[in-house]
Amino acid sequence: MKNIDSFEIFLYVFPIIEIILLTFFFKPYLQYKKFKLAVSDATLPILLLGIHFLSVRLLTYSLLPHFLLAAFFVGLLLTLYFDFSKRNLTTAKLFSIFLKAAFVLGFLTYYGIVVARIFQILHG
């Protein structure tokens, strides 16, 4: 059985802690005049860093480029969907939908890597 350090445990729980803290305590600070961020927008960079760090510990190479390719492919599909559906959609709204889809994809990827890493530590 491999040893696990405190930094890795911190990486496992930090996105959840950040979402809780931003939702309950810091949500008013995510907006400035007309510029407004969602909690998912503020959490996405942490998920990207976590995907890189944990995938390097799991596989010895980073899955971040693969994740970014998948996220941009989802963005392309969203753009094509809204283009062919003939809906009146602004660029800001499309970008907002893309960031929310990237957050969901990132969250699932992040915790998939966490589960795989825990399995790797327990079973050697």
Side-chain angles (χ1 to χ4, degrees), residues 11-41:
L11 283 176
Y12 293 165
V13 296
F14 185 67
I16 300 293
I17 291 171
E18 183 186 15
I19 290 171
I20 292 169
L21 287 176
L22 286 175
T23 301
F24 291 117
F25 300 112
F26 297 107
K27 200 165 191 176
Y29 301 108
L30 293 177
Q31 54 189 346
Y32 179 74
K33 296 182 182 178
K34 290 185 179 183
F35 185 72
K36 185 178 178 184
L37 285 176
V39 173
S40 61
D41 300 338

Side-chain angles (χ1 to χ4, degrees), residues 8-86:
E8 194 165 351
I9 293 173
F10 175 74
L11 283 176
Y12 293 165
V13 296
F14 185 67
I16 300 293
I17 291 171
E18 183 186 15
I19 290 171
I20 292 169
L21 287 176
L22 286 175
T23 301
F24 291 117
F25 300 112
F26 297 107
K27 200 165 191 176
Y29 301 108
L30 293 177
Q31 54 189 346
Y32 179 74
K33 296 182 182 178
K34 290 185 179 183
F35 185 72
K36 185 178 178 184
L37 285 176
V39 173
S40 61
D41 300 338
T43 307
L44 189 60
I46 300 300
L47 289 176
L48 294 176
L49 286 173
I51 287 171
H52 171 70
F53 286 133
L54 288 175
S55 64
V56 167
R57 287 182 179 228
L58 176 68
L59 303 169
T60 67
Y61 65 90
S62 178
L63 289 177
L64 186 60
H66 304 286
F67 168 75
L68 291 175
L69 183 66
F72 291 142
F73 184 70
V74 167
L76 178 65
L77 291 178
L78 283 171
T79 304
L80 290 174
Y81 171 74
F82 286 117
D83 186 38
F84 287 126
S85 67
K86 304 292 185 201

